[in-house]
């Protein structure tokens, strides 16, 4: 093989690999029905738990990024780095800009619709930050990829990560929903793995 052929081969981008969500990936999650992105920022809820707000945002900025981390209590955390996330697995999402974890809990109502509150919380050892992946139409062990519809189920309460057209002044409410409906669907719109986000 000539040097030119070798250079060409090295320059080929494996598009399929780029689409796979792995532990350590930085991702953006988009709400299927509204096309708003899962978002957080350094503002706390004025009531309820008074933890960090989680919303959906129609525009795009760095506050839309989340890093996929092994779940609280996972004894194989180190072995999972850079491995694909599979349907049925439990994991955490850490907000890239603030380092807080996507979180929910029982008995605290959301600010707008009184569903289950969803927050971002800084304690990396709190198992209320564990979420289970459900890939629509996927088998157990199917690999999570950019594009397909998913649900994220809060492990401790079985509530689905949910959003809807009910808004704060400029952003959309995110809740945990005990029922199931079309507003529970999300998809990954962006995956970044050029650097591993530890």
């Amino acid at each position: 093989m000539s040097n030119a052929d070798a250079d060409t081969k090295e320059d080929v981008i494996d598009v399929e690999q780029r689409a796979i969500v792995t532990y350590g990936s930085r991702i953006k999650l988009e709400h299927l029905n509204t096309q708003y992105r899962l978002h957080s920022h350094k503002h706390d809820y004025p009531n309820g738990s008074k933890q960090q707000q989680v919303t959906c945002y129609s525009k795009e900025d760095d506050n839309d990024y989340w890093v996929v981390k092994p779940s609280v209590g996972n004894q194989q955390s180190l072995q999972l780095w850079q491995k694909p996330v599979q349907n049925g697995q439990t994991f955490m999402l850490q907000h890239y800009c603030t380092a807080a974890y996507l979180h929910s809990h029982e008995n605290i109502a959301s600010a707008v619709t009184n569903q289950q509150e969803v927050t971002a919380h800084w304690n990396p050892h709190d198992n209320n930050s564990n979420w289970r992946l459900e890939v629509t139409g996927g088998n157990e062990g199917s690999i999570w990829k950019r594009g397909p519809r998913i649900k994220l189920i809060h492990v401790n309460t079985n509530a689905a990560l949910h959003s809807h057209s009910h808004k704060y002044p400029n952003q959309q409410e995110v809740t945990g929903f005990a029922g199931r409906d079309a507003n529970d669907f999300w998809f990954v719109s962006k995956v970044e793995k050029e650097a591993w986000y530890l």
Side-chain angles (χ1 to χ4, degrees):
M1 180 167 53
S2 70
N3 287 337
D5 290 338
D7 290 343
T8 301
K9 188 173 183 180
E10 288 174 6
D11 288 343
V12 171
I13 296 171
D14 188 335
V15 176
E16 187 70 15
Q17 286 296 319
R18 286 283 181 96
I20 293 173
V21 178
T22 59
Y23 290 93
S25 294
R26 188 171 79 156
I27 66 173
K28 288 189 177 187
L29 272 172
E30 198 162 316
H31 186 245
L32 185 67
N33 276 357
T34 63
Q35 309 293 291
Y36 279 43
R37 278 152 290 283
L38 187 68
H39 180 94
S40 192
H41 40 235
K42 287 188 176 180
H43 295 286
D44 296 339
Y45 289 113
N47 300 304
S49 68
K50 300 187 178 180
Q51 293 175 4
Q52 185 170 299
Q53 295 174 1
V54 172
T55 64
C56 274
Y57 189 45
S58 61
K59 299 177 182 176
E60 289 196 62
D61 66 27
D62 283 351
N63 281 314
D64 303 337
Y65 279 114
W66 301 82
V67 180
V68 183
K69 297 285 188 81
S71 59
V72 174
N74 192 316
Q75 301 300 311
Q76 297 180 321
S77 294
L78 293 176
Q79 289 81 13
L80 288 173
W81 287 114
Q82 304 182 20
K83 300 284 178 59
V85 182
Q86 297 178 2
N87 188 28
Q89 285 186 333
T90 299
F91 56 90
M92 297 191 294
L93 290 176
Q94 185 176 30
H95 188 241
Y96 177 68
C97 290
T98 65
Y101 295 88
L102 186 69
H103 185 90
S104 192
H105 31 235
E106 287 184 308
N107 302 322
I108 301 180
S110 64
V112 180
T113 59
N114 291 318
Q115 295 177 4
Q116 185 170 299
E117 185 185 63
V118 170
T119 70
H121 186 47
W122 295 273
N123 183 353
H125 307 295
D126 188 331
N127 64 14
N128 272 318
S129 298
N130 284 344
W131 299 82
R132 184 178 69 253
L133 175 67
E134 290 186 2
V135 178
T136 304
N139 299 318
E140 193 73 19
S142 297
I143 291 173
W144 191 10
K145 296 181 181 179
R146 183 180 64 239
R149 294 190 307 172
I150 64 157
K151 291 180 181 179
L152 294 182
I153 307 301
H154 186 246
V155 173
N156 284 353
T157 65
N158 204 40
L161 187 70
H162 180 95
S163 193
H164 37 228
S165 59
H166 299 280
K167 292 185 175 68
Y168 302 110
N170 299 311
Q171 298 184 24
Q172 190 167 281
E173 185 182 47
V174 171
T175 69
F177 185 52
R180 296 291 185 267
D181 69 22
N183 280 318
D184 300 340
F185 288 113
W186 304 79
F187 66 96
V188 172
S189 58
K190 191 167 189 177
V191 183
E192 293 186 356
K193 294 181 287 190
E194 284 74 13
W196 296 102
Y197 298 94
L198 305 175

